[in-house]
Amino acid sequence: MIAAGSPDRAPTHCPGLVRIPAQCGKGLSMNHLDETDNSNGRPIISAKPLTLPAPGRATDLQVKVSAPTQGQDLPIILFSHGFGSNFDGYGPLIDYWAAHGFVVVQPTYLDSRRIGVPPTDTRAAQLWRYRVEDAKRVLDNLDVLEAAVPGLSGRMDRGRIAAVGHSFGGQTSGVLLGLRVLAPAGEGEDMSDSRVRAGILLGTAGAGEGNLADGVIDKLPWLNVSFAHMTAPVLVVAGDHDQSLLTVRGPDWSEDPYTLSPGPKSLLTVFGAEHSLGGIPGYDAKETTDENQDVVDFLQSFTLAYLRHALGINDADWSSARIELQQNAQPLGKFESK
């Protein structure tokens, strides 16, 4: 992968609003991932940090872009990380999707530990809103980001965009797909984006009012949500051992984005999986509590098949993935749709 400098290094200004270090691409070090590393996928290239000006945010938005080194008309995944993470996370999914034909764009949101917004900061109560604004800022600047990545120019398909996220990132993606944040953090306003055609919500929080543990709404006021208007196609992925301290309910809380939203929706419940879903937050990530490479491998291929189906690329893989899951004598999960 290309590591285009360090986030700690002062970036060089380049044309087109975006800033990347090392004189706009010169001096970037490249290390292609071979086909074995990518499960017979293509070599990939990643560029970071790409910096977009973000007035009113107090700090500019840093983005990482990963893509296969070859191929045209590449569909796009806008990936949103979980609370506290950053654009270097979720390598097991990001690298796989990129190696199999997707451009994956990862912003680092204000709640990242790298930025360190304190609870007393005036932005803290609206972190969810800053995330959505950042996600839309990325979509607004796809041309700029594309031009900043060596060899990517002219290869992205802006008509095929999916939003994918884990945990808090699942809610961010959900908002782009029609989820609405209610009082006290929001006003139930529609912040969906028609450029996003489908999505995947991984380990995402469920309903708020009446379902949250004591004191949670005071610390995380954006957890009071409605899924009633989330009409876009979505795959919800939940672990049947994902027991969150945020809710008074059991692991089925993470199935609410499916249960409480209109179709078309799909639900994949992963057996034995906790919030880390086998280890998707990163290679050897400390927060992984249920490390299981078989589950990660399964989620890689299953989510890829769904994305290709939902974006109108290929239905055969999606059909095969569901049949294989249903016919497996020892399945890793169960699936339903509506």
Side-chain angles (χ1 to χ4, degrees):
M1 291 184 289
I2 285 181
S6 165
D8 299 322
R9 185 184 306 167
T12 299
H13 287 271
C14 304
L17 297 181
V18 74
R19 298 176 306 188
I20 62 174
Q23 297 181 351
C24 297
K26 297 179 181 179
L28 302 182
S29 60
M30 182 182 299
N31 178 23
H32 288 317
L33 301 181
D34 63 28
E35 293 187 355
T36 301
D37 291 336
N38 287 302
S39 302
N40 296 319
R42 314 173 205 177
I44 70 172
I45 182 174
S46 294
K48 65 172 185 177
L50 309 181
T51 304
L52 296 173
R57 190 178 184 264
T59 182
D60 288 339
L61 177 61
Q62 291 198 331
V63 182
K64 176 182 175 182
V65 177
S66 302
T69 57
Q70 300 177 356
Q72 298 293 323
D73 300 321
L74 303 174
I76 301 164
I77 296 172
L78 172 55
F79 186 86
S80 294
H81 63 71
F83 192 95
S85 189
N86 55 70
F87 64 28
D88 283 322
Y90 299 91
L93 292 180
I94 306 306
D95 293 346
Y96 185 87
W97 292 330
H100 289 80
F102 282 80
V103 176
V104 187
V105 186
Q106 295 173 268
T108 291
Y109 295 117
L110 278 178
D111 55 271
S112 173
R113 288 182 292 271
R114 288 184 176 177
I115 298 175
V117 173
T120 54
D121 192 292
T122 56
R123 296 168 292 175
Q126 293 294 314
L127 285 173
W128 75 273
R129 190 181 298 275
Y130 281 103
R131 276 175 158 256
V132 177
E133 292 173 351
D134 286 345
K136 293 186 176 185
R137 182 174 288 112
V138 166
L139 295 178
D140 291 341
N141 287 281
L142 286 177
D143 288 352
V144 175
L145 295 171
E146 181 184 55
V149 180
L152 186 57
S153 183
R155 298 171 55 212
M156 290 168 52
D157 183 354
R158 288 156 184 75
R160 289 191 168 104
I161 300 176
V164 183
H166 175 240
S167 194
F168 195 10
Q171 185 189 88
T172 305
S173 299
V175 172
L176 297 175
L177 296 159
L179 179 154
R180 299 189 183 184
V181 177
L182 309 176
E187 301 175 355
E189 65 266 48
D190 180 10
M191 297 182 69
S192 62
D193 195 306
S194 61
R195 291 172 291 187
V196 179
R197 290 179 49 177
I200 300 178
L201 310 186
L202 302 153
T204 301
E209 186 174 1
N211 297 275
L212 300 177
D214 289 345
V216 168
I217 199 66
D218 297 323
K219 296 179 180 178
L220 305 173
W222 51 79
L223 286 182
N224 193 28
V225 301
S226 170
F227 300 102
H229 302 279
M230 194 170 70
T231 58
V234 171
L235 170 65
V236 176
V237 180
D240 71 355
H241 281 51
D242 184 2
Q243 180 57 64
S244 175
L245 297 176
L246 301 177
T247 181
V248 295
R249 289 169 49 194
D252 66 312
W253 186 54
S254 291
E255 297 180 356
D256 282 358
Y258 170 81
T259 307
L260 302 179
S261 65
K265 296 292 183 295
S266 298
L267 172 65
L268 174 66
T269 304
V270 185
F271 298 150
E274 299 177 8
H275 197 57
S276 305
L277 294 171
I280 64 169
Y283 301 111
D284 302 318
K286 292 181 179 179
E287 59 263 44
T288 295
T289 57
D290 58 339
E291 185 172 355
N292 187 326
Q293 189 59 46
D294 288 340
V295 168
V296 174
D297 292 346
F298 168 57
L299 288 177
Q300 287 174 335
S301 60
F302 199 87
T303 56
L304 177 68
Y306 177 79
L307 289 167
R308 286 175 168 169
H309 156 73
L311 294 178
I313 300 169
N314 182 320
D315 286 332
D317 290 347
W318 179 232
S319 178
S320 297
R322 288 177 293 159
I323 292 172
E324 182 178 348
L325 178 63
Q326 293 167 354
Q327 295 181 348
N328 195 318
Q330 295 181 312
L332 291 173
K334 61 180 181 179
F335 173 84
E336 61 183 273
S337 60
K338 62 180 182 181

